[in-house]
């Protein structure tokens, strides 16, 4: 199985092979910890989790680094408004972020470096840019990257620089491509920064946002590494500036393959803090939705296509997961601990289609369709008592393998009802029905089934006897 990814840098679907045999180095831009992440942000992190899991599925060792932006314009503004030191302000949001990652079953990265712990590395990188004539100090003591001196500025964003005004500077971390210009590597302290400042060869100040990711990615992954990802809004200026800083300092290619996910939208608009149209994970869990259901919604879209968030989609996720759970329960009761045999042909074809879809630039909708096709076939086979224990065990193992990528099956599941002791009246009805069936009294059997249904229990007849669960 060979993975193929759409590389933003070349705008082509390319076959993926890591620089170092068997080992993939992946950098994923992390959260700015100035408030709770919203599920638009989590679309990006779930997409990166699918990427990471797919790489591991294929057998690669993955070293993933996700930074924590705990100093930038937004965190400083937030700390000022709250009247607390920067670290006290960012800590609860960092903790909440990790809690949300767990709720969404996002695998942990190997490292989560915080920007405030890496200021010396950023200063060293800026010094390298000075040495190469790419940085200059402005009147106020800030340091800027000289975009005009860096050939091909704009990669991987395909930015057309023809409209650029020579010598224009942007001090903010975030800006639109209409304001492209020299960007801040180091920001001289001003009173709005309060206590937040570090000493540097250029005076007291703080790093710009973009230099954080260049310094931390190269520290942990080397000067050239395999994969770098983020939401599409990170592409410009953040990833263009990261590339200019890193390649400007090292003279080497920074990243081989860039992947960007499209936005999560609400009513046709990007979900974002500034538009106020966002849901955090905790908002949704407070409304009774689970992390697992939210994960399903985020997984069930192609990462390069915008995904519209709706509560209907969450309800659909709930139904789809229930269907999956029910199937797994049925399989396990038929398998009853049997050793896995060969897969039925239709299941083998579904497994192959699943892999093909993943390999084809992480086509999750198609991968899920293959899986649900197998669920449909499997249920039909179970209904007809056509599935042997060994086949059921093989199917269970296949689903577990696929779930290595999906991360949907084995977390946050409500305990199956049949794990709990059955109420006595239900037990009695079941016993009576078993006796009726033994006597081939189908009318009585159906009557008892209806009585169980009225009491809220659904019965199925399997080769191993009656299976019951709460409706
Ligand atoms: P931030 O904390 O703003 O730096 O964003 C963290 C990550 O979330 C980045 O990779 C962004 O590109 C991504 N992101 C922000 N909003 C959305 C959205 N509505 N849909 C998908 N990704 C997003
Ligand atoms: Zn970044």
């Amino acid at each position: 199985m060979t993975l193929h990814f759409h590389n933003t840098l070349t705008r082509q679907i390319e076959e993926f092979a890591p620089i170092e045999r068997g080992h993939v180095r992946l950098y994923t831009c992390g959260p700015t910890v100035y408030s709770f992440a919203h599920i638009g942000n989590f679309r990006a992190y779930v997409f990166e989790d699918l990427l990471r899991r797919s790489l591991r599925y294929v057998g690669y060792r993955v070293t993933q680094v996700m930074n924590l932006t705990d100093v930038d314009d937004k965190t400083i503004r937030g700390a000022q408004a709250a009247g607390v030191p920067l670290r006290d302000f960012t800590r609860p949001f960092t903790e909440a972020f990790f809690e949300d990652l767990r709720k969404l079953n996002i695998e942990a990265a190997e490292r989560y470096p915080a920007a405030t712990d890496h200021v010396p590395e950023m200063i060293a990188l800026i010094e390298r840019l000075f040495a190469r004539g790419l940085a200059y100090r402005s009147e106020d003591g800030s340091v800027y990257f000289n975009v005009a001196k860096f050939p091909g500025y704009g990669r991987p964003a395909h930015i057309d620089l023809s409209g650029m005004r020579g010598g224009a500077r942007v001090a903010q971390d975030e800006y639109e491509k209409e304001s492209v210009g020299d960007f801040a590597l180091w920001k001289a302290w001003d009173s709005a920064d309060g206590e937040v400042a570090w000493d540097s060869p250029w005076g007291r100040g703080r790093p710009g946002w973009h230099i954080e990711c260049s310094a931390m990615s190269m520290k942990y992954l080397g000067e050239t590494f395999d994969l770098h990802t983020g939401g599409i809004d990170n592409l410009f200026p953040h990833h263009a500036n990261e590339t200019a800083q890193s390649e400007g300092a090292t003279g080497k290619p920074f990243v081989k393959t860039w992947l960007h996910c499209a936005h999560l939208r609400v009513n046709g608009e990007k979900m974002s803090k500034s538009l106020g149209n966002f849901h955090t994970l905790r908002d949704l869990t407070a409304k009774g939705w689970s992390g697992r259901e939210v994960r399903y919604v985020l997984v069930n879209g192609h990462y390069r296509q915008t995904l519209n968030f709706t509560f209907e989609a969450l309800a659909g996720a709930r139904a789809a997961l229930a269907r999956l759970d029910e199937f797994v329960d049925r399989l396990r009761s038929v398998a009853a601990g049997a050793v896995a045999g060969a897969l039925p042909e239709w299941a083998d074809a579904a497994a192959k289609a699943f892999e093909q879809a993943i390999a084809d630039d992480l086509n999750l909708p198609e991968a899920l369709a293959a899986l649900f096709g197998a669920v449909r076939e499997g249920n039909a086979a179970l209904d007809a008592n056509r599935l042997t224990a060994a086949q059921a065990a093989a199917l269970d193992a296949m689903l577990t393998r696929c779930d290595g990528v999906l991360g949907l099956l084995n977390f946050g599941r409500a305990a199956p009802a049949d794990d709990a002791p059955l109420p006595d009246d239900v037990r009695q009805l079941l016993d009576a029905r078993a006796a009726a069936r033994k006597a081939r009294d189908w009318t009585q059997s159906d009557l008892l089934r209806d009585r169980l249904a009225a009491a809220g229990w659904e019965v199925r007849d399997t080769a191993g006897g009656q299976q019951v669960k709460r409706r």
Side-chain angles (χ1 to χ4, degrees), residues 335 337-345 347-348 388-398 401:
V339 176
L343 281 173
E345 210 171 297
D348 193 47
T388 65
Q391 284 177 324
L395 261 165
D396 185 18
M398 168 206 144
R401 232 176 10 258

Side-chain angles (χ1 to χ4, degrees), residues 31 145 174 200 272 366 423 447:
F145 186 95
E174 290 180 85
S200 82
S272 73
E366 228 166 76
L447 201 85

Side-chain angles (χ1 to χ4, degrees), residues 333-448:
S333 73
V334 170
V339 176
L343 281 173
E345 210 171 297
W346 49 265
D348 193 47
K352 291 202 173 87
F354 178 88
E355 286 198 354
Q356 242 164 34
I358 296 295
D360 178 17
D361 196 28
L362 306 179
N363 191 338
L364 264 300
E366 228 166 76
L368 283 172
L371 209 70
F372 277 98
V375 172
R376 200 173 42 248
E377 295 263 13
N379 273 323
L382 285 163
D383 289 342
N385 279 331
R386 266 196 284 113
L387 216 56
T388 65
Q391 284 177 324
L395 261 165
D396 185 18
M398 168 206 144
L399 288 179
T400 303
R401 232 176 10 258
C402 294
D403 198 53
V405 176
L406 301 172
L408 286 171
L409 276 183
N410 297 316
F411 86 109
R413 244 191 98 166
D418 45 5
D419 269 12
L422 289 171
D424 283 344
D425 54 338
V426 175
R427 169 68 36 225
Q428 278 162 17
L429 286 170
L430 281 172
D431 290 346
R433 188 164 177 273
R437 292 179 70 75
K438 205 165 167 210
R440 308 181 80 77
D441 184 350
W442 310 122
T443 314
Q444 181 66 8
S445 162
D446 287 347
L447 201 85
L448 287 161

Side-chain angles (χ1 to χ4, degrees), residues 27 29-30 67 209 213 228 234 238-239 242:
Y27 188 83
C29 283
N67 67 295
W209 170 38
C213 282
H228 193 316
N234 279 163
H238 186 50
H239 291 163
E242 261 189 66

Side-chain angles (χ1 to χ4, degrees), residues 203-224:
R204 278 178 82 66
R206 61 172 169 109
W209 170 38
H210 314 294
I211 199 75
E212 298 181 4
C213 282
S214 287
M216 292 189 280
S217 61
M218 291 201 291
K219 170 165 181 173
Y220 295 108
L221 297 173
E223 294 183 344
T224 302

Side-chain angles (χ1 to χ4, degrees), residues 3-72:
L3 296 170
H4 292 75
F5 299 130
H6 179 269
N7 185 354
T8 314
L9 191 60
T10 59
R11 291 173 162 162
Q12 307 276 335
I13 303 264
E14 296 170 356
E15 187 176 310
F16 175 74
I19 298 164
E20 182 191 328
R21 210 185 139 89
H23 178 203
V24 180
R25 286 168 296 162
L26 162 67
Y27 188 83
T28 49
C29 283
T32 306
V33 280
Y34 74 112
S35 66
F36 296 115
H38 56 68
I39 58 163
N41 301 128
F42 284 112
R43 175 174 202 200
Y45 306 129
V46 165
F47 142 66
E48 288 153 355
D49 184 52
L50 291 168
L51 172 63
R52 173 193 169 88
R53 285 166 173 272
S54 302
L55 292 162
R56 282 160 43 79
Y57 182 91
V58 174
Y60 293 123
R61 176 161 82 85
V62 177
T63 301
Q64 180 188 358
V65 176
M66 177 180 280
N67 67 295
L68 302 168
T69 299
D70 60 350
V71 54
D72 79 323

